[in-house]
Amino acid sequence: MPLVIPSDLPAKSILEKEQIFTMTTQRAETQDIRPLKLAILNLMPKKEETETQLLRMLSNTALQVHVDLIRTDSHESKNTDYTHLHRFYKTFDEIKQNKYDAMIITGAPIETMEYENVDYWQEFTKILEYAKEHVFSTMFICWASQAALYHYYGIKKYQKPKKIFGVYEFDLKKRGTLTKGFDDSFFIPQSRYTYNELQDVLSHPDLDVWAGREDIGANLVSSKDGRFLFVAGHFEYDEDTLYQEYLRDKAKGLGTAIPENYFIENDETKGIKVKWRSHANLFFSNWLNYCVYQETPYDISQISKKKVAKFGGSSLSDAGQFSKVKDIIYSSEDREIIVVSAPGKRNEKDTKITDILNQYYILKKDNKDLMQLEEKIRKFRKENEEKKENSLDIIVNRFTDIAKELELSQETVSVIQHVISKIKDSDNRDFILSRGEYLNAILMAKYLNYEFLDAEDIIFFDNNGVLNKRKTYQSIRQKMANHLKFVVPGFYGKTENGEIKTFDRGGSDITGSIIAGALNSELYENWTDVDGVMTADPNKDKNAKTIDHLSYEQLLRMAEKGANVYHLDAIEPVMKQEIPIHIRNTNNPSGKGTIVQKK
């Protein structure tokens, strides 16, 4: 398949002489396929040269790629003809409503400047934020890679006393689809004065390092989810690009040494030895095929962040409530991550599953203590045992009723019995209390046909019961990096010793908040049995009204004063990321609810 570019773009005639097939936009529109939409933000001085190099790399694929050339509006190029720029390039304002499968942002010869001193820095950061929401996979090259690592992750750059200039060899540190077909070592041309410390990038939990060296820093880096790709070198360079740059530096009297490992036997009179072209073609085709084409949604307008929705115990108290929740989840395709509580009360006289489990634990613990006095209190122990077994019968019946009314498989009912056996064998209070959320998540996953993801595999505590935020966030991002949809039980996680550890009561709010924070979600929905945060307790005051909007600080003050409106510890993870909380009523899904956000 061809590149889709304007028929009179100068690069077109160059590429066709190299037997690279191109196609006009008009002809592409007659093809019965959905082409990849790709934008190139070209920051290089010699834009025609750079655009030709990149288009050549993008042509080595069977995919049809529709290319838009983008330029900055806040900086006027002095090295590219004005007519060429205004004929073939669009400004950011002209494309900012578009969605793209992929974007390439080139380097610029400004790496020795502080980022904030670059005249188009404000416009550049707007484009970086745009890429998060509107582009599925973005490749940053040279200066752009350093600037993006700084903007997104706070990773600093450092300057070398002399230019990093030549063709450098790298050992492959990570294997995957991005480097499919690569040898153990490969070459990439380099031309820059600054670098990112390899250790700074390796220590960041959200980044993977594919290649790098201690002397010239990280060179090939990606975000954990593959949406961002940072390339410090120049796979796209032509055979003589470094040589022409060397001649320009020499003419300016900059004292630049000959490019390292570039000329045959390091002698410029013997010619250039190209060492990077095969890996360059492979790298760009791997990126387009595996990171873009096979991952991006067919409907490009669907590119967005994941949404997390948590449903409380009252929302999941019986099969009827499950059905309501399913309707709510299926009413919006972007509700991909679901967090559930254990079944709550079905009516005022009913008992929450977690309360029954807690009673079971207390009775079991009491029974174990009483066994030491068995002869004196045999009668009391028998009564206690009967109550304990009755507690389990109630739990089995509640979950079995839900499973049968939802027409779930017999295998699901067997899972319930298996979990009850585990409860019988355990003396761990937290494990026992957590099984309500665990079983509810199993049932909901089966009912929705979502993947079940156990909270113990993504929520981690140290042995003192303190949340290990870094390990937790890293695990959530790794487990949820693909496009599967998950149901996660709330309320608990796992310690370093492998034991189940629960949050305080109401801890499913915390689980949902942590997942939303780790994923930097667009929104955190918290579904319960009231229309939002109320001016008073609606059970005591019939005139209580829903508060439409609150700030995080207002919600914190209400929670700190003891108002039973939201779990205090569930506010911080989303507040830090400025993720709005939407508190809504499962029994009134059309209600506006309460929005909690920064302002």
Side-chain angles (χ1 to χ4, degrees):
M1 290 293 177
L3 294 170
V4 181
I5 56 179
S7 59
D8 51 350
L9 183 72
K12 186 176 189 296
S13 61
I14 298 172
L15 297 173
E16 290 185 342
K17 286 177 183 178
E18 299 173 13
Q19 296 184 326
I20 294 172
F21 181 36
T22 64
M23 181 185 290
T24 64
T25 303
Q26 291 81 4
R27 185 176 175 190
E29 288 173 351
T30 67
Q31 306 294 305
D32 190 21
I33 60 173
R34 206 276 274 173
L36 293 181
K37 292 187 65 177
L38 183 144
I40 298 176
L41 176 62
N42 193 349
L43 303 174
M44 292 295 281
K46 293 193 170 186
K47 298 194 187 303
E48 292 184 50
E49 178 182 293
T50 301
E51 72 198 31
T52 303
Q53 291 173 350
L54 289 172
L55 291 172
R56 184 181 290 116
M57 289 293 102
L58 295 170
S59 69
N60 191 35
T61 175
L63 303 170
Q64 182 172 304
V65 184
H66 187 128
V67 180
D68 280 344
L69 297 173
I70 315 299
R71 63 180 174 87
T72 55
D73 198 33
S74 50
H75 175 81
E76 190 68 38
S77 177
K78 300 176 182 178
N79 297 281
T80 302
D81 182 70
Y82 176 88
T83 304
H84 181 86
L85 278 178
H86 286 264
R87 184 169 186 174
F88 300 113
Y89 280 74
K90 300 175 182 178
T91 65
F92 174 57
D93 280 342
E94 290 175 302
I95 61 95
K96 65 183 181 182
Q97 301 302 324
N98 296 352
K99 298 270 189 175
Y100 288 97
D101 298 284
M103 176 182 275
I104 297 174
I105 303 181
T106 73
I110 51 173
E111 68 262 30
T112 58
M113 295 176 63
E114 293 297 327
Y115 295 118
E116 291 79 5
N117 292 338
V118 175
D119 60 1
Y120 53 82
W121 179 250
Q122 285 191 335
E123 182 181 8
F124 183 76
T125 56
K126 287 180 182 178
I127 295 172
L128 293 185
E129 289 304 304
Y130 162 86
K132 287 165 61 176
E133 291 289 333
H134 294 74
V135 182
F136 190 79
S137 183
T138 304
M139 180 190 299
F140 305 93
I141 298 174
C142 200
W143 175 84
S145 76
Q146 296 177 2
L149 285 169
Y150 172 74
H151 178 75
Y152 291 138
Y153 305 104
I155 293 175
K156 297 179 181 179
K157 65 178 178 181
Y158 300 90
Q159 186 166 336
K160 286 282 189 181
K162 68 174 185 176
K163 192 174 187 177
I164 301 169
F165 192 49
V167 181
Y168 288 75
E169 185 175 11
F170 293 88
D171 291 331
L172 197 60
K173 293 183 176 292
K174 176 181 172 63
R175 289 195 176 275
T177 53
L178 189 60
T179 55
K180 189 174 182 179
F182 270 46
D183 296 319
D184 291 339
S185 62
F186 56 95
F187 296 88
I188 314 179
Q190 311 287 319
S191 177
R192 51 194 166 89
Y193 288 93
T194 55
Y195 69 104
N196 296 118
E197 285 281 5
L198 184 59
Q199 194 54 47
D200 289 351
V201 184
L202 283 169
S203 62
H204 201 288
D206 291 337
L207 298 171
D208 282 328
V209 175
W210 299 74
R213 291 171 34 158
E214 293 292 342
D215 57 341
I216 61 170
N219 205 266
L220 189 56
V221 178
S222 70
S223 58
K224 289 287 185 184
D225 60 5
R227 294 279 301 272
F228 294 147
L229 184 56
F230 310 91
V231 186
H234 292 276
F235 268 129
E236 77 280 3
Y237 270 5
D238 291 333
E239 175 182 343
D240 68 341
T241 304
L242 288 175
Y243 181 56
Q244 295 301 324
E245 186 174 338
Y246 166 63
L247 293 178
R248 290 195 298 272
D249 285 1
K250 195 174 180 180
K252 294 176 183 177
L254 297 179
T256 303
I258 65 168
E260 292 187 35
N261 200 26
Y262 179 56
F263 297 113
I264 297 171
E265 298 178 1
N266 287 322
D267 183 348
E268 62 181 294
T269 65
K270 293 185 177 181
I272 299 164
K273 187 173 184 178
V274 177
K275 304 175 182 178
W276 64 91
R277 188 165 292 153
S278 60
H279 281 98
N281 284 310
L282 193 56
F283 176 76
F284 273 86
S285 63
N286 282 348
W287 174 59
L288 282 177
N289 185 36
Y290 298 113
C291 298
V292 182
Y293 175 69
Q294 294 193 29
E295 296 292 337
T296 190
Y298 183 82
D299 180 359
I300 197 171
S301 65
Q302 296 301 310
I303 295 174
S304 63
K305 294 181 179 180
K306 294 179 184 290
K307 182 185 287 185
V308 178
K310 177 261 177 182
F311 291 87
S314 57
S315 299
L316 298 166
S317 57
D318 58 24
Q321 292 297 100
F322 264 68
S323 182
K324 292 178 185 178
V325 168
K326 181 179 181 179
D327 289 341
I328 290 169
I329 293 170
Y330 280 6
S331 69
S332 175
E333 292 183 1
D334 58 358
R335 291 191 179 105
E336 296 179 318
I337 311 299
I338 309 302
V339 178
V340 300
S341 295
K345 290 183 177 182
R346 293 165 294 188
N347 51 61
E348 283 301 314
K349 295 182 179 180
D350 203 5
T351 307
K352 297 179 180 179
I353 284 290
T354 305
D355 288 335
I356 299 173
L357 286 166
N358 189 49
Q359 180 187 32
Y360 172 83
Y361 168 77
I362 293 170
L363 292 170
K364 184 171 185 177
K365 184 176 181 298
D366 288 347
N367 192 57
K368 188 175 181 180
D369 294 340
L370 291 171
M371 285 178 66
Q372 299 174 6
L373 306 171
E374 188 173 356
E375 292 300 319
K376 295 182 180 181
I377 52 174
R378 185 184 299 275
K379 181 179 178 181
F380 182 80
R381 188 168 68 86
K382 182 179 179 182
E383 293 174 353
N384 193 290
E385 185 70 26
E386 290 173 352
K387 290 179 181 178
K388 177 168 67 74
E389 292 302 319
N390 185 49
S391 296
L392 286 184
D393 289 341
I394 294 171
I395 293 167
V396 170
N397 291 337
R398 280 283 296 276
F399 281 111
T400 302
D401 286 347
I402 292 173
K404 288 181 176 178
E405 287 184 48
L406 297 177
E407 298 182 353
L408 300 180
S409 66
Q410 183 59 40
E411 178 187 356
T412 306
V413 177
S414 299
V415 170
I416 297 170
Q417 294 291 348
H418 177 72
V419 172
I420 296 302
S421 298
K422 292 282 188 181
I423 292 173
K424 288 182 177 181
D425 293 338
S426 176
D427 291 324
N428 184 316
R429 177 181 182 273
D430 285 18
F431 173 82
I432 292 171
L433 293 189
S434 71
R435 294 307 87 182
E437 275 76 9
Y438 177 86
L439 281 172
N440 235 23
I442 291 281
L443 296 184
M444 181 57 79
K446 293 285 186 183
Y447 187 50
L448 295 175
N449 198 24
Y450 276 31
E451 292 290 322
F452 170 77
L453 179 57
D454 199 341
E456 71 171 84
D457 294 328
I458 56 172
I459 306 292
F460 298 100
F461 300 89
D462 63 23
N463 287 331
N464 294 318
V466 178
L467 181 72
N468 185 332
K469 183 176 178 180
R470 179 171 177 173
K471 184 177 180 181
T472 295
Y473 274 38
Q474 184 174 359
S475 180
I476 290 169
R477 290 164 183 162
Q478 287 176 340
K479 300 282 187 185
M480 297 182 176
N482 55 33
H483 298 289
L484 297 177
K485 298 182 178 183
F486 297 96
V487 176
V488 182
F491 186 42
Y492 68 92
K494 183 170 64 177
T495 66
E496 294 171 357
N497 292 336
E499 295 183 347
I500 295 297
K501 170 77 176 70
T502 60
F503 293 105
D504 294 336
R505 292 297 293 272
S508 293
D509 287 346
I510 305 175
T511 305
S513 183
I514 288 171
I515 294 174
L519 296 176
N520 192 17
S521 293
E522 172 189 356
L523 178 71
Y524 174 40
E525 291 182 328
N526 193 301
W527 292 82
T528 182
D529 58 353
V530 292
D531 286 335
V533 180
M534 312 292 286
T535 55
D537 186 343
N539 294 318
K540 298 177 180 178
D541 184 351
K542 294 182 180 180
N543 296 318
K545 297 180 180 179
T546 303
I547 302 172
D548 292 336
H549 291 85
L550 284 172
S551 68
Y552 297 117
E553 289 75 14
Q554 288 172 316
L555 185 63
L556 275 169
R557 286 197 296 270
M558 293 173 73
E560 287 169 350
K561 291 179 180 179
N564 188 24
V565 294
Y566 201 76
H567 200 295
L568 186 64
D569 293 338
I571 301 173
E572 188 271 340
V574 288
M575 181 174 70
K576 188 173 182 181
Q577 301 290 96
E578 296 186 9
I579 299 167
I581 306 169
H582 196 178
I583 302 172
R584 302 180 67 180
N585 189 346
T586 303
N587 299 313
N588 181 24
S590 62
K592 292 182 179 180
T594 300
I595 291 284
V596 184
Q597 53 192 4
K598 185 176 181 180
K599 294 184 180 179

